[in-house]
Amino acid sequence: TYNPLYYTRISWILMKADKSLGMEYNERTRLLFEKQLENWDADFIDKTAFYPGSAAFSHTVIYALRGLYECAIILNHKEALQKFNASLHELLNIVVQNNGLPGQFYNSKYSTSYTCSTGNLQFSLLLLKCNDILEERIINDLLALLLKPVLKSQRKYFFNKGAIPSSLPVYKNYQRFRYTNWTQKFFIDVLLSLLSPDRKD
């Protein structure tokens, strides 16, 4: 019965598939997104956890936010864009106040004891798409803040050379002592987007 808000990313991919194949948007996908949008309120962060009542990682929070943004753009959905803007600025305030993106959130509180590097990378990707919402100077400052700890953590020698740990420090809560493939995937996506600002994906 639990439908976390990061399922907005599924709605986005379904819509993107329809668009790529030159098909009409599936009405069931649109209805799915509308239901997700109804559930998106001031407590949206708590609804992005893997399980109800558990902490949400920045990874899942940004998953949800990216899905909301992409669906809003595809559908030219004004209400979705408004909710995205409000949620984006809520997160940006937290980032500025704490000099970084907290690794996890729980019951409207958050932990700054560690960084979820996957979430930092995803947020960086999302910010690179927000040049019509935020000033370039602000985006660049935020990118430096989000990417600096991730780049410093990249393994330079021996085991897993070149890899990014999923948590910083590596022993913290998100994928403890792991170098997950999706963390590396988002790292590559950020590099490609920085090298090719016009890239669409």
Side-chain angles (χ1 to χ4, degrees):
T1 58
Y2 178 56
N3 289 291
L5 284 178
Y6 57 78
Y7 284 175
T8 55
R9 191 173 177 93
I10 297 174
S11 296
W12 163 38
I13 296 303
L14 290 172
M15 290 181 195
K16 187 174 180 179
D18 287 342
K19 185 177 181 181
S20 297
L21 295 169
M23 299 166 59
E24 292 291 325
Y25 293 128
N26 190 307
E27 188 59 28
R28 290 172 66 185
T29 304
R30 187 187 295 267
L31 290 172
L32 172 65
F33 177 64
E34 291 292 347
K35 193 169 184 64
Q36 292 161 345
L37 195 59
E38 281 177 27
N39 203 25
W40 196 290
D41 55 25
D43 298 324
F44 84 96
I45 289 177
D46 292 333
K47 298 175 182 177
T48 65
F50 284 129
Y51 306 101
S54 65
F57 297 107
S58 61
H59 166 55
T60 54
V61 174
I62 307 303
Y63 242 26
L65 203 57
R66 175 78 185 270
L68 176 67
Y69 172 79
E70 297 289 357
C71 289
I73 295 298
I74 288 173
L75 297 174
N76 193 23
H77 200 300
K78 290 183 180 179
E79 182 189 354
L81 280 172
Q82 288 171 350
K83 289 192 174 188
F84 170 77
N85 273 317
S87 301
L88 173 68
H89 282 89
E90 179 183 341
L91 268 183
L92 291 180
N93 286 336
I94 292 172
V95 169
V96 170
Q97 288 168 14
N98 293 278
N99 204 35
L101 180 64
Q104 71 181 48
F105 301 78
Y106 183 69
N107 281 348
S108 302
K109 297 177 182 177
Y110 46 83
S111 171
T112 57
S113 66
Y114 76 100
T115 296
C116 172
S117 55
T118 315
N120 275 34
L121 292 165
Q122 288 174 274
F123 203 15
S124 298
L125 272 175
L126 181 57
L127 290 171
L128 286 167
K129 290 178 162 285
C130 291
N131 51 9
D132 55 338
I133 299 171
L134 302 169
E135 294 178 26
E136 185 178 359
R137 173 185 56 83
I138 293 173
I139 292 174
N140 289 338
D141 288 347
L142 289 166
L143 287 174
L145 198 60
L146 292 166
L147 294 177
K148 185 176 180 180
V150 175
L151 291 169
K152 284 178 69 176
S153 76
Q154 187 176 24
R155 291 201 46 97
K156 306 297 190 295
Y157 311 102
F158 308 118
F159 175 72
N160 275 348
K161 182 180 178 182
I164 305 291
S166 297
S167 271
L168 306 175
V170 70
Y171 56 80
K172 294 301 279 187
N173 300 18
Y174 179 72
Q175 297 291 329
R176 186 177 281 117
F177 293 113
R178 290 180 178 151
Y179 295 77
T180 55
N181 58 6
W182 54 91
T183 303
Q184 320 316 314
K185 180 262 186 202
F186 286 118
F187 179 56
I188 293 167
D189 283 347
V190 170
L191 294 180
L192 289 172
S193 293
L194 288 170
L195 291 170
S196 307
D198 297 329
R199 196 165 168 266
K200 300 296 182 184
D201 293 335

